[in-house]
Structure formats: structure tokens, C-alpha cells
Amino acid sequence: MKEIIDAISVAAARIKKVIEFGDTGYSEHVNKTGDTQLKLDIASDLIIEEEFKKVSSIKSIISEEKEESKLLHENGSYIIGYDPLDGSSLVDVNLAVGSIFGIYKNGTEGSDIVGAAYVVYGPRTEIVVAKDDVRLYRLSENGEFREIKTIKLNRKGKLNATGATQKGWSAYHKKLIDEIFADGYRLRYSGGMVPDLHQILLKGGGLFSYPATTDTPKGKLRLVFEVFPFAFVFEKAFGAAIDGKKRILELKPSHIHDTSPCFFGSNEEIKRVLDEYAKH
Ligand code: AHM
Ligand code: MG
């Protein structure tokens, strides 16, 4: 898998430049989810595809920005599901964005994931890689990613990142979130899942939620490109990830672009969600 992480590192350094100096305008294309693609989404997707084409162990790629999966090397053994530039609409307001990668074998169900990585393009460029454990790497002046530390969540955190349109929340979801705030948790939510989850991972824990709502009953975030990779990261960092009732990595999407409600966090906060959701 090292060759895949190396390719992600090369792609990340290239995408960082595109974010800094590229055109932030819209293209004329609409992706599978119905979003008009930004030129930055397309450029990032092309860079990743170019770098993955050089890696013979990658059998196929599935991108949030592509309708279908794409075969790269018939004899490869890995399938990579990725979101090339998550939160790309935040670039024009100069907030942090990211790239997310799920590394799968055999298929793209939750149980097929064998590794995950994400890149944060913020004031600094960082890569987090989850295999047996979760490690943070940072881009240094010489253009190389240097290992910084291993990431481990505490049993309980202090941050509460609450996603989705509040007027569409269920009454019990609102009750749960209100109770968490009443216990002293602080709101942190930029609208980019990569920096928002990265903050929870690095500040020791908390809860990130993107629930089902009346306007998005199956949530917004995509299983193969966003939710499974982060579920893998959180579990390997001694946290947990659920859809409200079930462990995320037990879910089986019926289509590569399927979405799911999702909750990521440290164990105590995830237990609170499970206890409240079990009643409904
Ligand atoms: P994108 O893939 O189109 O960029 O959308 C995904 C983003 C996530 O990064 C973020 O958590 C979520 O959308 C925010 O959505 P909302 O504004 O509805 O809370
Ligand atoms: Mg995304």
C-alpha cells in the first residue's frame, strides 16, 4: 500500500498549488450528485487519476467527480474511492479543504476497506494515513511529507460539530445536540468535513454529526468517498463511527454514489448518540 500513499503525497503537493493559484470559477459540468463542478474539482480529479495511473497495484478508481468507476490496471488488487476536493466551495472564502481516499479490496462495501487517507489543505498541508494505526504527516519546506505523530482519540472530547439544515432535524436529534451543548461542549463547524473531523481527531475528541433530515433523509455525505474512509480513520484512532444505529463499516451501499447519515467521534459521544437513537 506504500506506493498508493506515495502517489497520494505527490498528488497532494500538486493539488495544493492548484488551490493556491488556480481559477476558483465554475465549469460547465454537473457531477452525479447534481453539483456544478468547479474547475478546481476537475483539476484535482485529473491530477489524482494521473498519479494513480502510475501505480500498478491499483485496479480501479471511483471518484466523486466521475459517474462510473474506471479500470486502471487489470491485475491490480486495490480499488480507490476518493473525493478529490471536498468542500471545494470553501476555497473562494479561503477556508481549509481536503482530499479523501478509501482504499478497498474486492469491493466497496464498508467491510472491504483496508486503509484510508485524507489530505488537509490549510495554513499547512497535512496527510493523515490510517492502516493499523493513524499517523499525521506534514509537508515540509523541502517538499516532502514528514511524520509528526500518531493520532489517538481520548474516550471523551469537548467539541460538537453539528451538520445539516437544522430546520430539517428530527426532534430527537435536536434534543441530543442540545443536551451535548448543555454539558459544555463547544461548537466547531466550518462546513468542510476534512478540517472539521481533523480538528476533532487532533483535539482529542468530540462529535461530528451529519444526520438524516427532512430534505436529505439519507444524509448528504457519500459512503464510498467520504463516510467509509473517515469511519476507518476514527476506528483506528480508538473512536467510532455509526449511522445512528449501526456501525458504519457494516453498511453495504447499493450504488457507488449512495449517501448515509453519519456520526464520527470518541467513544462516549458515540454511545450518547446510540442511546438516544435506539429509542426511535
Ligand atoms: P462537497 O463534497 O460537495 O464539498 O460537500 C461535502 C461537504 C462536507 O465537507 C461537509 O461536511 C458538508 O458538505 C457540509 O454540508 P452542510 O453545509 O449541509 O452542513
Ligand atoms: Mg465531498
Side-chain angles (χ1 to χ4, degrees), residues 147-256:
E147 184 168 340
I148 305 293
K149 63 172 178 175
T150 300
I151 299 177
K152 285 187 188 145
L153 286 161
N154 299 331
R155 257 208 74 73
K156 181 178 183 309
K158 293 183 183 138
L159 306 181
N160 193 14
T162 63
T165 324
Q166 295 195 20
K167 71 169 187 188
W169 289 0
S170 65
Y172 58 89
H173 183 75
K174 182 168 173 14
K175 174 174 170 277
L176 169 72
I177 297 296
D178 286 347
E179 284 171 2
I180 293 174
F181 279 130
D183 285 346
Y185 283 74
R186 306 190 121 160
L187 172 65
R188 292 288 182 271
Y189 196 75
S190 74
M193 77 182 297
V194 174
D196 288 338
L197 287 168
H198 192 57
Q199 181 164 199
I200 288 174
L201 285 161
L202 289 180
K203 303 269 189 203
L207 179 68
F208 174 99
S209 47
Y210 205 105
T213 61
T214 46
D215 50 338
T216 54
K218 290 194 164 166
K220 171 185 181 188
L221 300 175
R222 297 90 173 164
L223 281 166
V224 175
F225 325 112
E226 298 170 326
V227 178
F228 286 154
F230 271 112
F232 189 84
V233 171
F234 270 72
E235 288 198 0
K236 293 293 179 191
F238 301 96
I242 54 167
D243 70 353
K245 301 200 170 184
K246 249 180 131 167
R247 189 174 157 246
I248 293 278
L249 293 182
E250 285 168 17
L251 300 179
K252 301 176 196 292
S254 49
H255 189 275
I256 52 174

Side-chain angles (χ1 to χ4, degrees), residues 62-277:
I62 309 174
S63 164
E64 185 181 306
E65 303 300 340
K66 293 187 195 347
E67 192 118 341
E68 305 290 343
S69 73
K70 190 163 182 170
L71 184 70
L72 293 189
H73 304 101
E74 188 65 65
N75 295 323
S77 47
Y78 295 104
I79 304 165
I80 318 255
Y82 65 95
D83 183 349
L85 198 58
D86 183 72
S88 50
S89 63
L90 297 173
V91 173
D92 62 358
V93 289
N94 208 9
L95 286 178
V97 292
S99 304
I100 311 167
F101 303 86
I103 305 170
Y104 301 86
K105 269 193 165 169
N106 304 316
T108 50
E109 295 185 353
S111 58
D112 295 320
I113 195 163
V114 294
Y118 65 84
V119 186
V120 193
Y121 310 99
R124 294 168 172 195
T125 303
E126 295 181 332
I127 298 186
V128 171
V129 179
K131 285 187 277 191
D132 298 326
D133 57 11
V134 183
R135 293 191 195 179
L136 170 69
Y137 300 82
R138 185 175 297 146
L139 188 60
S140 53
E141 270 178 305
N142 66 6
E144 303 208 330
F145 282 91
R146 202 158 44 87
E147 184 168 340
I148 305 293
K149 63 172 178 175
T150 300
I151 299 177
K152 285 187 188 145
L153 286 161
N154 299 331
R155 257 208 74 73
K156 181 178 183 309
K158 293 183 183 138
L159 306 181
N160 193 14
T162 63
T165 324
Q166 295 195 20
K167 71 169 187 188
W169 289 0
S170 65
Y172 58 89
H173 183 75
K174 182 168 173 14
K175 174 174 170 277
L176 169 72
I177 297 296
D178 286 347
E179 284 171 2
I180 293 174
F181 279 130
D183 285 346
Y185 283 74
R186 306 190 121 160
L187 172 65
R188 292 288 182 271
Y189 196 75
S190 74
M193 77 182 297
V194 174
D196 288 338
L197 287 168
H198 192 57
Q199 181 164 199
I200 288 174
L201 285 161
L202 289 180
K203 303 269 189 203
L207 179 68
F208 174 99
S209 47
Y210 205 105
T213 61
T214 46
D215 50 338
T216 54
K218 290 194 164 166
K220 171 185 181 188
L221 300 175
R222 297 90 173 164
L223 281 166
V224 175
F225 325 112
E226 298 170 326
V227 178
F228 286 154
F230 271 112
F232 189 84
V233 171
F234 270 72
E235 288 198 0
K236 293 293 179 191
F238 301 96
I242 54 167
D243 70 353
K245 301 200 170 184
K246 249 180 131 167
R247 189 174 157 246
I248 293 278
L249 293 182
E250 285 168 17
L251 300 179
K252 301 176 196 292
S254 49
H255 189 275
I256 52 174
H257 287 273
D258 278 1
T259 61
S260 171
C262 52
F263 301 80
F264 305 91
S266 24
N267 284 309
E268 280 211 12
E269 290 81 11
I270 292 295
K271 184 172 180 311
R272 282 182 87 149
V273 178
L274 279 170
D275 290 349
E276 186 56 42
Y277 270 64

